[in-house]
Amino acid sequence: MDFETNAALSVGLLIAAFVLDWPRALVGVVFGLVSRFLPYATIVVPVGVVIIAAVGEFIYPLIGRTTGATFPSFVLGLFSVAATASNLYITIRNLKDRL
């Protein structure tokens, strides 16, 4: 029951992240899948989340998505990337431990 509840919460957060900021959420999904194979992923995932959110802040004005980098947009990016990357990494790890 505990795994099912966590999986349902994870899916809810993934959907919310895609609704709020789909480009960074998509990068977070890819990063979450790749981080499963990285050593020291419990350290790499949070650092990668911050880096991806920060890089997104500087790429968005270049592609015309925003006018400039702002702190609220950075925080939204942190949520989007963390909700996808870390939740996917943790869900895959818990699923592997359960099987």
Side-chain angles (χ1 to χ4, degrees):
M1 177 71 181
D2 188 40
F3 175 76
E4 290 80 8
T5 304
N6 290 338
L9 287 172
S10 179
V11 168
L13 285 172
L14 285 169
I15 291 170
F18 271 96
V19 167
L20 293 174
D21 190 6
W22 72 267
R24 283 189 271 202
L26 187 62
V27 173
V29 166
V30 172
F31 182 64
L33 290 172
V34 170
S35 66
R36 184 68 193 120
F37 304 105
L38 297 175
Y40 305 108
T42 55
I43 297 169
V44 172
V45 170
V47 171
V49 164
V50 173
I51 291 171
I52 291 169
V55 168
E57 277 303 300
F58 294 108
I59 290 177
Y60 276 4
L62 296 176
I63 61 174
R65 189 165 165 92
T66 61
T67 57
T70 61
F71 186 71
S73 177
F74 175 71
V75 172
L76 182 68
L78 279 176
F79 169 75
S80 293
V81 178
T84 54
S86 64
N87 277 333
L88 192 59
Y89 169 74
I90 290 168
T91 303
I92 290 171
R93 184 189 64 198
N94 289 345
L95 180 63
K96 185 179 175 186
D97 290 344
R98 186 172 182 181
L99 298 175

Coordinates of all heavy atoms in Angstrom, one line a residue:
M1 N 0.8 -1.2 0.0 CA 0.0 0.0 0.0 C 0.9 1.3 0.0 O 0.5 2.2 -0.6 CB -0.9 0.0 1.2 CG -1.8 1.2 1.4 SD -3.0 1.2 0.1 CE -3.9 2.7 0.5
D2 N 2.0 1.2 0.7 CA 2.8 2.4 0.8 C 3.4 2.7 -0.6 O 3.5 3.9 -1.0 CB 3.9 2.1 1.8 CG 4.7 3.4 2.1 OD1 4.1 4.5 2.2 OD2 6.0 3.3 2.2
F3 N 3.9 1.8 -1.3 CA 4.4 2.0 -2.7 C 3.4 2.6 -3.6 O 3.6 3.5 -4.4 CB 5.0 0.7 -3.3 CG 5.5 0.9 -4.7 CD1 6.7 1.6 -4.9 CD2 4.8 0.5 -5.7 CE1 7.1 1.8 -6.2 CE2 5.2 0.7 -7.0 CZ 6.4 1.3 -7.3
E4 N 2.1 2.1 -3.5 CA 1.1 2.6 -4.4 C 0.7 4.0 -4.1 O 0.5 4.8 -5.0 CB -0.2 1.7 -4.3 CG 0.0 0.3 -4.9 CD 0.7 -0.7 -4.0 OE1 1.0 -0.3 -2.8 OE2 1.0 -1.8 -4.4
T5 N 0.7 4.4 -2.9 CA 0.5 5.8 -2.5 C 1.6 6.7 -3.0 O 1.3 7.8 -3.5 CB 0.3 5.9 -1.0 OG1 -0.7 5.0 -0.5 CG2 0.0 7.3 -0.5
N6 N 2.8 6.3 -2.8 CA 3.9 7.1 -3.3 C 3.9 7.2 -4.8 O 4.3 8.3 -5.3 CB 5.2 6.5 -2.8 CG 5.4 6.6 -1.3 OD1 4.8 7.5 -0.7 ND2 6.3 5.8 -0.7
A7 N 3.6 6.1 -5.5 CA 3.5 6.2 -6.9 C 2.4 7.1 -7.4 O 2.6 7.9 -8.4 CB 3.3 4.8 -7.5
A8 N 1.3 7.1 -6.7 CA 0.2 8.0 -7.1 C 0.6 9.5 -6.9 O 0.3 10.4 -7.7 CB -1.1 7.7 -6.3
L9 N 1.3 9.8 -5.7 CA 1.7 11.1 -5.5 C 2.8 11.5 -6.5 O 2.8 12.7 -7.0 CB 2.3 11.2 -4.1 CG 1.3 11.2 -2.9 CD1 2.1 11.1 -1.6 CD2 0.5 12.4 -3.0
S10 N 3.6 10.6 -6.9 CA 4.6 10.9 -7.9 C 4.0 11.3 -9.2 O 4.4 12.2 -9.9 CB 5.6 9.7 -8.0 OG 6.5 10.0 -9.0
V11 N 3.0 10.5 -9.6 CA 2.3 10.8 -10.9 C 1.6 12.2 -10.8 O 1.7 13.0 -11.8 CB 1.3 9.7 -11.2 CG1 0.4 10.1 -12.4 CG2 2.0 8.4 -11.6
G12 N 1.0 12.5 -9.7 CA 0.4 13.8 -9.5 C 1.4 15.0 -9.6 O 1.1 16.0 -10.3
L13 N 2.6 14.8 -9.0 CA 3.6 15.8 -9.1 C 4.2 15.9 -10.5 O 4.5 17.0 -11.0 CB 4.7 15.5 -8.1 CG 4.4 15.8 -6.7 CD1 5.5 15.3 -5.8 CD2 4.2 17.3 -6.5
L14 N 4.3 14.8 -11.2 CA 4.8 14.8 -12.6 C 3.8 15.6 -13.5 O 4.2 16.4 -14.3 CB 4.9 13.4 -13.1 CG 6.1 12.6 -12.7 CD1 6.0 11.1 -13.1 CD2 7.4 13.2 -13.3
I15 N 2.5 15.4 -13.3 CA 1.5 16.1 -14.1 C 1.6 17.6 -13.8 O 1.5 18.4 -14.7 CB 0.1 15.5 -13.9 CG1 0.1 14.1 -14.4 CG2 -1.0 16.4 -14.4 CD1 -1.2 13.3 -14.1
A16 N 1.7 17.9 -12.5 CA 1.7 19.3 -12.1 C 3.0 20.0 -12.7 O 2.9 21.1 -13.2 CB 1.7 19.4 -10.6
A17 N 4.1 19.3 -12.7 CA 5.3 19.9 -13.2 C 5.2 20.1 -14.7 O 5.6 21.1 -15.2 CB 6.5 18.9 -12.9
F18 N 4.6 19.2 -15.5 CA 4.4 19.4 -16.9 C 3.4 20.5 -17.2 O 3.6 21.2 -18.2 CB 4.0 18.1 -17.6 CG 5.1 17.2 -18.0 CD1 5.6 16.2 -17.2 CD2 5.8 17.4 -19.2 CE1 6.6 15.4 -17.6 CE2 6.8 16.7 -19.6 CZ 7.3 15.6 -18.8
V19 N 2.4 20.7 -16.4 CA 1.5 21.7 -16.6 C 2.1 23.1 -16.4 O 1.9 24.1 -17.1 CB 0.2 21.6 -15.7 CG1 -0.6 22.8 -15.7 CG2 -0.6 20.4 -16.2
L20 N 3.0 23.2 -15.3 CA 3.6 24.5 -15.0 C 4.7 24.9 -15.9 O 4.9 26.0 -16.3 CB 4.1 24.4 -13.5 CG 3.0 24.4 -12.5 CD1 3.6 24.2 -11.1 CD2 2.1 25.6 -12.5
D21 N 5.6 23.9 -16.3 CA 6.8 24.2 -17.0 C 7.3 23.0 -17.8 O 8.2 22.3 -17.3 CB 7.9 24.8 -16.1 CG 9.1 25.3 -16.8 OD1 9.0 25.5 -18.1 OD2 10.0 25.7 -16.2
W22 N 6.6 22.7 -18.9 CA 6.9 21.4 -19.6 C 8.3 21.3 -20.2 O 8.8 20.2 -20.1 CB 5.8 21.2 -20.7 CG 5.9 22.0 -21.9 CD1 5.2 23.2 -22.1 CD2 6.7 21.8 -23.0 NE1 5.6 23.7 -23.3 CE2 6.5 22.9 -23.9 CE3 7.6 20.8 -23.4 CZ2 7.1 23.0 -25.1 CZ3 8.2 20.9 -24.6 CH2 8.0 22.0 -25.5
P23 N 9.0 22.3 -20.7 CA 10.3 22.1 -21.2 C 11.3 21.6 -20.1 O 12.1 20.6 -20.3 CB 10.8 23.4 -21.8 CG 9.5 24.2 -22.0 CD 8.6 23.7 -21.0
R24 N 11.3 22.3 -19.0 CA 12.2 21.8 -17.9 C 11.8 20.5 -17.3 O 12.6 19.7 -16.9 CB 12.4 22.9 -16.8 CG 13.3 24.0 -17.3 CD 13.6 25.0 -16.2 NE 12.6 26.0 -16.2 CZ 12.7 27.2 -15.6 NH1 13.9 27.5 -15.0 NH2 11.8 28.1 -15.7
A25 N 10.5 20.3 -17.3 CA 10.0 19.0 -16.8 C 10.4 17.8 -17.7 O 10.8 16.8 -17.2 CB 8.5 19.0 -16.6
L26 N 10.4 18.1 -19.0 CA 10.9 17.1 -19.9 C 12.4 16.8 -19.7 O 12.8 15.6 -19.7 CB 10.6 17.5 -21.3 CG 10.8 16.5 -22.4 CD1 9.9 15.3 -22.2 CD2 10.6 17.1 -23.8
V27 N 13.2 17.8 -19.6 CA 14.6 17.6 -19.3 C 14.8 16.9 -18.0 O 15.7 16.0 -17.8 CB 15.3 19.0 -19.3 CG1 16.8 18.8 -18.9 CG2 15.3 19.6 -20.7
G28 N 13.9 17.2 -17.0 CA 14.0 16.5 -15.7 C 13.7 15.0 -15.8 O 14.3 14.2 -15.2
V29 N 12.7 14.7 -16.7 CA 12.4 13.2 -16.9 C 13.7 12.5 -17.5 O 14.0 11.5 -17.0 CB 11.2 13.1 -17.8 CG1 11.1 11.7 -18.3 CG2 10.0 13.5 -17.1
V30 N 14.3 13.1 -18.5 CA 15.5 12.5 -19.1 C 16.6 12.4 -18.1 O 17.2 11.4 -18.0 CB 15.9 13.3 -20.3 CG1 17.2 12.8 -20.9 CG2 14.9 13.3 -21.4
F31 N 16.8 13.5 -17.3 CA 17.8 13.4 -16.3 C 17.5 12.4 -15.2 O 18.4 11.7 -14.7 CB 18.0 14.8 -15.6 CG 19.0 14.9 -14.6 CD1 20.4 14.7 -14.9 CD2 18.7 15.2 -13.3 CE1 21.4 14.8 -14.0 CE2 19.7 15.2 -12.3 CZ 21.0 15.0 -12.7
G32 N 16.2 12.2 -14.8 CA 15.9 11.2 -13.8 C 16.1 9.8 -14.3 O 16.5 8.9 -13.6
L33 N 15.9 9.6 -15.6 CA 16.1 8.3 -16.2 C 17.6 8.0 -16.3 O 18.1 6.9 -16.0 CB 15.5 8.2 -17.6 CG 14.0 8.1 -17.6 CD1 13.5 8.2 -19.1 CD2 13.5 6.8 -17.0
V34 N 18.4 9.0 -16.7 CA 19.9 8.8 -16.8 C 20.5 8.7 -15.4 O 21.5 7.9 -15.2 CB 20.5 10.0 -17.6 CG1 22.0 10.0 -17.5 CG2 20.0 10.0 -19.0
S35 N 20.0 9.4 -14.4 CA 20.6 9.4 -13.1 C 20.5 8.0 -12.4 O 21.2 7.8 -11.5 CB 20.0 10.5 -12.2 OG 18.6 10.2 -12.0
R36 N 19.6 7.2 -12.9 CA 19.5 5.9 -12.3 C 20.8 5.1 -12.5 O 21.1 4.2 -11.7 CB 18.3 5.1 -13.0 CG 18.0 3.8 -12.5 CD 17.5 3.9 -11.0 NE 17.5 2.6 -10.5 CZ 18.2 2.3 -9.4 NH1 18.9 3.2 -8.7 NH2 18.2 1.1 -8.9
F37 N 21.5 5.4 -13.6 CA 22.7 4.7 -13.8 C 24.0 5.4 -13.4 O 25.1 4.9 -13.6 CB 22.8 4.4 -15.4 CG 21.6 3.7 -15.9 CD1 20.7 4.4 -16.6 CD2 21.5 2.3 -15.6 CE1 19.6 3.7 -17.1 CE2 20.4 1.7 -16.1 CZ 19.4 2.3 -16.8
L38 N 23.9 6.5 -12.8 CA 25.0 7.3 -12.3 C 25.4 6.9 -10.9 O 24.6 6.6 -10.1 CB 24.7 8.8 -12.3 CG 24.4 9.4 -13.6 CD1 24.0 10.9 -13.4 CD2 25.6 9.4 -14.6
P39 N 26.7 6.9 -10.6 CA 27.2 6.7 -9.2 C 26.9 7.9 -8.4 O 26.9 9.0 -8.9 CB 28.7 6.4 -9.4 CG 29.1 7.1 -10.6 CD 27.9 7.0 -11.5
Y40 N 26.6 7.7 -7.1 CA 26.4 8.8 -6.2 C 25.2 9.6 -6.6 O 25.2 10.9 -6.6 CB 27.6 9.7 -6.0 CG 28.8 8.9 -5.6 CD1 29.9 8.7 -6.4 CD2 28.9 8.4 -4.3 CE1 31.0 8.0 -6.0 CE2 30.0 7.7 -3.9 CZ 31.0 7.5 -4.8 OH 32.1 6.8 -4.4
A41 N 24.1 9.0 -7.1 CA 23.0 9.7 -7.6 C 22.2 10.5 -6.6 O 21.6 11.5 -6.9 CB 22.0 8.7 -8.3
T42 N 22.3 10.1 -5.3 CA 21.7 10.9 -4.3 C 22.3 12.3 -4.1 O 21.7 13.2 -3.6 CB 21.7 10.2 -2.9 OG1 23.0 9.9 -2.6 CG2 20.9 9.0 -3.0
I43 N 23.5 12.5 -4.6 CA 24.2 13.8 -4.6 C 24.0 14.4 -6.0 O 23.8 15.6 -6.1 CB 25.7 13.6 -4.2 CG1 25.8 13.1 -2.8 CG2 26.4 14.9 -4.4 CD1 27.2 12.7 -2.4
V44 N 24.2 13.6 -7.0 CA 24.1 14.2 -8.4 C 22.8 14.7 -8.7 O 22.7 15.8 -9.4 CB 24.6 13.1 -9.4 CG1 24.4 13.5 -10.8 CG2 26.0 12.7 -9.1
V45 N 21.7 14.1 -8.3 CA 20.3 14.5 -8.7 C 20.0 15.9 -8.2 O 19.6 16.8 -8.9 CB 19.3 13.5 -8.3 CG1 17.9 14.0 -8.5 CG2 19.4 12.2 -9.1
P46 N 20.2 16.2 -6.9 CA 19.9 17.6 -6.4 C 20.8 18.6 -7.1 O 20.3 19.7 -7.4 CB 20.1 17.5 -4.9 CG 20.0 16.1 -4.5 CD 20.5 15.3 -5.7
V47 N 22.0 18.3 -7.3 CA 22.9 19.3 -7.9 C 22.5 19.5 -9.4 O 22.5 20.6 -9.9 CB 24.4 18.8 -7.8 CG1 25.3 19.7 -8.7 CG2 24.9 18.8 -6.4
G48 N 22.2 18.4 -10.0 CA 21.7 18.5 -11.4 C 20.4 19.3 -11.6 O 20.2 20.0 -12.5
V49 N 19.5 19.1 -10.6 CA 18.2 19.8 -10.6 C 18.5 21.3 -10.6 O 17.9 22.1 -11.4 CB 17.3 19.4 -9.4 CG1 16.2 20.4 -9.2 CG2 16.8 18.0 -9.7
V50 N 19.4 21.8 -9.7 CA 19.7 23.2 -9.6 C 20.3 23.7 -10.9 O 20.0 24.8 -11.4 CB 20.6 23.5 -8.4 CG1 21.0 24.9 -8.4 CG2 19.8 23.2 -7.1
I51 N 21.2 22.9 -11.4 CA 21.9 23.3 -12.7 C 21.0 23.4 -13.8 O 21.0 24.4 -14.6 CB 23.1 22.4 -13.0 CG1 24.2 22.6 -11.9 CG2 23.6 22.6 -14.4 CD1 25.3 21.5 -12.0
I52 N 20.1 22.4 -14.0 CA 19.1 22.5 -15.1 C 18.2 23.6 -14.9 O 17.8 24.3 -15.9 CB 18.3 21.1 -15.1 CG1 19.3 20.0 -15.6 CG2 17.1 21.2 -16.1 CD1 18.7 18.6 -15.4
A53 N 17.7 23.9 -13.7 CA 16.8 25.1 -13.5 C 17.5 26.4 -13.8 O 16.9 27.3 -14.5 CB 16.3 25.1 -12.1
A54 N 18.8 26.5 -13.5 CA 19.5 27.7 -13.7 C 19.8 27.9 -15.2 O 19.7 29.0 -15.8 CB 20.8 27.7 -12.9
V55 N 20.2 26.8 -15.9 CA 20.5 26.9 -17.3 C 19.2 27.3 -18.1 O 19.2 28.1 -19.0 CB 21.1 25.6 -17.8 CG1 21.1 25.5 -19.3 CG2 22.5 25.4 -17.3
G56 N 18.1 26.7 -17.6 CA 16.8 27.0 -18.3 C 16.4 28.5 -18.1 O 15.9 29.1 -19.1
E57 N 16.8 29.1 -17.0 CA 16.6 30.6 -16.9 C 17.3 31.4 -17.9 O 16.8 32.5 -18.3 CB 17.0 31.0 -15.5 CG 16.0 30.8 -14.4 CD 14.6 31.4 -14.7 OE1 14.6 32.7 -14.8 OE2 13.7 30.7 -14.8
F58 N 18.5 31.0 -18.3 CA 19.2 31.7 -19.3 C 19.0 31.3 -20.7 O 19.2 32.1 -21.6 CB 20.7 31.6 -18.9 CG 21.1 32.2 -17.6 CD1 21.4 31.5 -16.5 CD2 21.0 33.6 -17.5 CE1 21.7 32.0 -15.3 CE2 21.3 34.2 -16.3 CZ 21.7 33.4 -15.2
I59 N 18.4 30.2 -20.9 CA 18.0 29.7 -22.3 C 16.6 30.3 -22.7 O 16.4 30.6 -23.8 CB 18.1 28.2 -22.4 CG1 19.5 27.7 -22.3 CG2 17.4 27.7 -23.7 CD1 19.7 26.2 -22.4
Y60 N 15.7 30.4 -21.7 CA 14.4 30.9 -22.0 C 14.4 32.2 -22.7 O 13.6 32.4 -23.7 CB 13.5 30.9 -20.8 CG 12.9 29.5 -20.4 CD1 13.2 28.4 -21.2 CD2 12.0 29.4 -19.4 CE1 12.6 27.2 -20.9 CE2 11.4 28.2 -19.1 CZ 11.7 27.1 -19.8 OH 11.1 25.9 -19.5
P61 N 15.1 33.2 -22.2 CA 15.1 34.5 -23.0 C 15.7 34.4 -24.4 O 15.3 35.1 -25.3 CB 16.0 35.4 -22.1 CG 16.0 34.8 -20.8 CD 15.9 33.4 -21.0
L62 N 16.6 33.5 -24.6 CA 17.2 33.4 -25.9 C 16.2 32.8 -26.9 O 16.3 33.1 -28.1 CB 18.4 32.4 -25.9 CG 19.6 33.0 -25.1 CD1 20.7 31.9 -25.0 CD2 20.1 34.3 -25.7
I63 N 15.3 31.9 -26.5 CA 14.3 31.3 -27.4 C 13.0 32.1 -27.4 O 12.1 31.7 -28.1 CB 14.1 29.8 -27.1 CG1 13.6 29.6 -25.7 CG2 15.4 29.0 -27.3 CD1 13.2 28.2 -25.3
G64 N 12.9 33.1 -26.6 CA 11.7 34.0 -26.6 C 10.6 33.5 -25.7 O 9.5 34.0 -25.8
R65 N 10.9 32.6 -24.8 CA 9.8 32.1 -23.8 C 9.6 33.1 -22.7 O 8.4 33.3 -22.3 CB 10.3 30.8 -23.3 CG 9.2 30.1 -22.5 CD 9.5 28.6 -22.2 NE 8.7 28.0 -21.2 CZ 7.5 27.4 -21.5 NH1 7.1 27.3 -22.7 NH2 6.8 26.9 -20.5
T66 N 10.6 33.8 -22.3 CA 10.5 34.9 -21.2 C 11.3 36.1 -21.7 O 12.1 36.0 -22.6 CB 10.9 34.4 -19.9 OG1 12.3 34.1 -19.9 CG2 10.2 33.2 -19.4
T67 N 11.1 37.2 -21.0 CA 11.9 38.4 -21.3 C 13.2 38.4 -20.6 O 14.1 39.1 -21.0 CB 11.1 39.7 -20.9 OG1 10.7 39.6 -19.5 CG2 9.8 39.7 -21.8
G68 N 13.3 37.7 -19.5 CA 14.5 37.7 -18.7 C 14.5 36.7 -17.6 O 13.4 36.2 -17.2
A69 N 15.6 36.5 -16.9 CA 15.7 35.6 -15.8 C 15.1 36.3 -14.6 O 15.4 37.4 -14.2 CB 17.1 35.2 -15.6
T70 N 14.2 35.6 -13.8 CA 13.7 36.1 -12.6 C 13.7 35.0 -11.5 O 13.8 33.8 -11.9 CB 12.2 36.5 -12.8 OG1 11.4 35.3 -13.2 CG2 12.0 37.6 -13.8
F71 N 13.7 35.4 -10.3 CA 13.8 34.4 -9.2 C 12.5 33.5 -9.1 O 12.7 32.3 -8.9 CB 14.1 35.1 -7.9 CG 14.3 34.2 -6.7 CD1 15.4 33.4 -6.7 CD2 13.3 34.0 -5.8 CE1 15.6 32.5 -5.6 CE2 13.5 33.1 -4.7 CZ 14.6 32.4 -4.7
P72 N 11.3 34.1 -9.3 CA 10.1 33.2 -9.2 C 10.1 32.2 -10.3 O 9.7 31.0 -10.1 CB 9.0 34.2 -9.4 CG 9.5 35.5 -8.9 CD 10.9 35.5 -9.3
S73 N 10.6 32.5 -11.5 CA 10.7 31.6 -12.6 C 11.7 30.5 -12.3 O 11.6 29.3 -12.6 CB 11.1 32.3 -13.9 OG 11.2 31.4 -14.9
F74 N 12.8 30.9 -11.6 CA 13.8 29.9 -11.2 C 13.3 28.9 -10.2 O 13.5 27.7 -10.3 CB 15.1 30.6 -10.6 CG 16.1 29.7 -10.1 CD1 16.9 28.9 -10.9 CD2 16.3 29.7 -8.7 CE1 17.8 28.1 -10.4 CE2 17.3 28.8 -8.2 CZ 18.0 28.0 -9.0
V75 N 12.5 29.4 -9.2 CA 11.9 28.5 -8.2 C 10.9 27.6 -8.9 O 10.8 26.4 -8.6 CB 11.2 29.4 -7.1 CG1 10.4 28.5 -6.2 CG2 12.3 30.2 -6.4
L76 N 10.1 28.1 -9.9 CA 9.2 27.3 -10.6 C 10.0 26.2 -11.4 O 9.5 25.0 -11.4 CB 8.4 28.1 -11.6 CG 7.3 27.4 -12.4 CD1 6.2 26.9 -11.5 CD2 6.8 28.3 -13.5
G77 N 11.1 26.6 -11.9 CA 11.9 25.6 -12.6 C 12.5 24.6 -11.7 O 12.6 23.4 -12.0
L78 N 12.9 25.0 -10.5 CA 13.4 24.0 -9.5 C 12.3 23.0 -9.2 O 12.6 21.8 -9.1 CB 13.8 24.7 -8.2 CG 15.1 25.4 -8.2 CD1 15.3 26.1 -6.8 CD2 16.2 24.3 -8.3
F79 N 11.0 23.5 -9.0 CA 9.9 22.6 -8.7 C 9.7 21.6 -9.9 O 9.6 20.4 -9.7 CB 8.6 23.3 -8.4 CG 7.4 22.4 -8.4 CD1 7.2 21.6 -7.3 CD2 6.6 22.4 -9.5 CE1 6.1 20.7 -7.3 CE2 5.5 21.5 -9.5 CZ 5.3 20.7 -8.4
S80 N 9.7 22.1 -11.1 CA 9.4 21.3 -12.3 C 10.5 20.2 -12.5 O 10.2 19.1 -12.7 CB 9.4 22.2 -13.5 OG 8.3 23.0 -13.5
V81 N 11.8 20.6 -12.4 CA 12.8 19.6 -12.6 C 12.9 18.7 -11.4 O 13.1 17.5 -11.6 CB 14.2 20.4 -12.8 CG1 15.3 19.4 -12.9 CG2 14.1 21.3 -14.0
A82 N 12.8 19.2 -10.2 CA 12.8 18.3 -9.0 C 11.7 17.3 -9.0 O 11.8 16.1 -8.6 CB 12.9 19.1 -7.7
A83 N 10.5 17.8 -9.3 CA 9.3 16.9 -9.3 C 9.4 15.8 -10.3 O 8.9 14.7 -10.1 CB 8.0 17.7 -9.5
T84 N 10.1 16.0 -11.4 CA 10.2 15.0 -12.4 C 11.5 14.1 -12.1 O 11.4 12.9 -12.1 CB 10.3 15.6 -13.8 OG1 11.3 16.6 -13.9 CG2 8.9 16.2 -14.2
A85 N 12.6 14.7 -12.0 CA 13.9 14.0 -11.9 C 13.9 13.2 -10.6 O 14.2 12.0 -10.7 CB 15.1 14.9 -12.0
S86 N 13.7 13.8 -9.5 CA 13.9 13.1 -8.2 C 12.8 12.1 -8.0 O 13.0 11.0 -7.5 CB 14.0 14.0 -7.1 OG 12.8 14.8 -6.9
N87 N 11.5 12.4 -8.4 CA 10.4 11.5 -8.2 C 10.6 10.3 -9.1 O 10.3 9.2 -8.7 CB 9.1 12.2 -8.5 CG 8.6 12.9 -7.3 OD1 8.9 12.6 -6.2 ND2 7.8 13.9 -7.6
L88 N 11.1 10.5 -10.3 CA 11.3 9.4 -11.2 C 12.4 8.5 -10.7 O 12.3 7.3 -10.7 CB 11.6 9.9 -12.6 CG 11.6 8.8 -13.7 CD1 10.2 8.2 -13.8 CD2 11.9 9.5 -15.1
Y89 N 13.5 9.1 -10.3 CA 14.6 8.3 -9.7 C 14.2 7.5 -8.5 O 14.5 6.3 -8.4 CB 15.8 9.3 -9.4 CG 16.8 8.6 -8.6 CD1 17.7 7.7 -9.2 CD2 17.0 8.8 -7.2 CE1 18.7 7.1 -8.5 CE2 18.0 8.2 -6.5 CZ 18.8 7.3 -7.1 OH 19.8 6.7 -6.4
I90 N 13.5 8.1 -7.6 CA 13.1 7.5 -6.4 C 12.0 6.4 -6.7 O 12.1 5.3 -6.1 CB 12.5 8.5 -5.4 CG1 13.7 9.4 -4.8 CG2 11.8 7.8 -4.2 CD1 13.2 10.6 -4.1
T91 N 11.1 6.6 -7.6 CA 10.1 5.6 -7.9 C 10.7 4.4 -8.6 O 10.4 3.3 -8.2 CB 9.0 6.2 -8.8 OG1 8.4 7.4 -8.2 CG2 7.9 5.2 -9.1
I92 N 11.7 4.6 -9.5 CA 12.3 3.5 -10.1 C 13.1 2.7 -9.1 O 13.1 1.5 -9.1 CB 13.2 4.0 -11.2 CG1 12.4 4.5 -12.4 CG2 14.2 2.9 -11.7 CD1 13.2 5.2 -13.5
R93 N 13.8 3.4 -8.2 CA 14.6 2.7 -7.1 C 13.7 1.9 -6.2 O 14.0 0.8 -5.9 CB 15.4 3.8 -6.3 CG 16.3 3.1 -5.3 CD 16.9 4.1 -4.3 NE 15.8 4.7 -3.6 CZ 15.9 5.9 -2.9 NH1 17.0 6.6 -3.0 NH2 14.9 6.3 -2.3
N94 N 12.5 2.5 -5.8 CA 11.6 1.8 -4.9 C 11.0 0.6 -5.6 O 10.7 -0.4 -5.0 CB 10.5 2.7 -4.4 CG 11.1 3.7 -3.4 OD1 12.2 3.5 -2.9 ND2 10.3 4.7 -3.1
L95 N 10.7 0.7 -6.9 CA 10.1 -0.4 -7.7 C 11.1 -1.5 -7.8 O 10.8 -2.7 -7.6 CB 9.7 0.1 -9.1 CG 9.1 -0.9 -10.0 CD1 7.8 -1.5 -9.4 CD2 8.8 -0.4 -11.3
K96 N 12.4 -1.2 -8.0 CA 13.4 -2.2 -8.1 C 13.6 -2.9 -6.8 O 13.8 -4.1 -6.7 CB 14.7 -1.5 -8.5 CG 15.8 -2.5 -8.8 CD 17.1 -1.8 -9.2 CE 18.2 -2.8 -9.3 NZ 19.5 -2.2 -9.6
D97 N 13.5 -2.2 -5.7 CA 13.7 -2.8 -4.4 C 12.5 -3.7 -4.0 O 12.6 -4.7 -3.3 CB 13.8 -1.7 -3.3 CG 15.1 -1.0 -3.3 OD1 16.0 -1.5 -4.0 OD2 15.2 0.1 -2.7
R98 N 11.3 -3.3 -4.6 CA 10.1 -4.1 -4.3 C 10.1 -5.4 -5.1 O 9.6 -6.4 -4.6 CB 8.9 -3.3 -4.6 CG 7.6 -3.9 -4.2 CD 6.4 -3.0 -4.4 NE 5.3 -3.8 -4.0 CZ 4.1 -3.3 -4.0 NH1 3.9 -2.1 -4.4 NH2 3.0 -4.0 -3.6
L99 N 10.6 -5.3 -6.2 CA 10.7 -6.6 -7.0 C 11.8 -7.4 -6.6 O 12.0 -8.4 -6.4 CB 10.8 -6.3 -8.5 CG 9.7 -5.4 -9.1 CD1 10.1 -5.1 -10.6 CD2 8.4 -6.2 -9.1

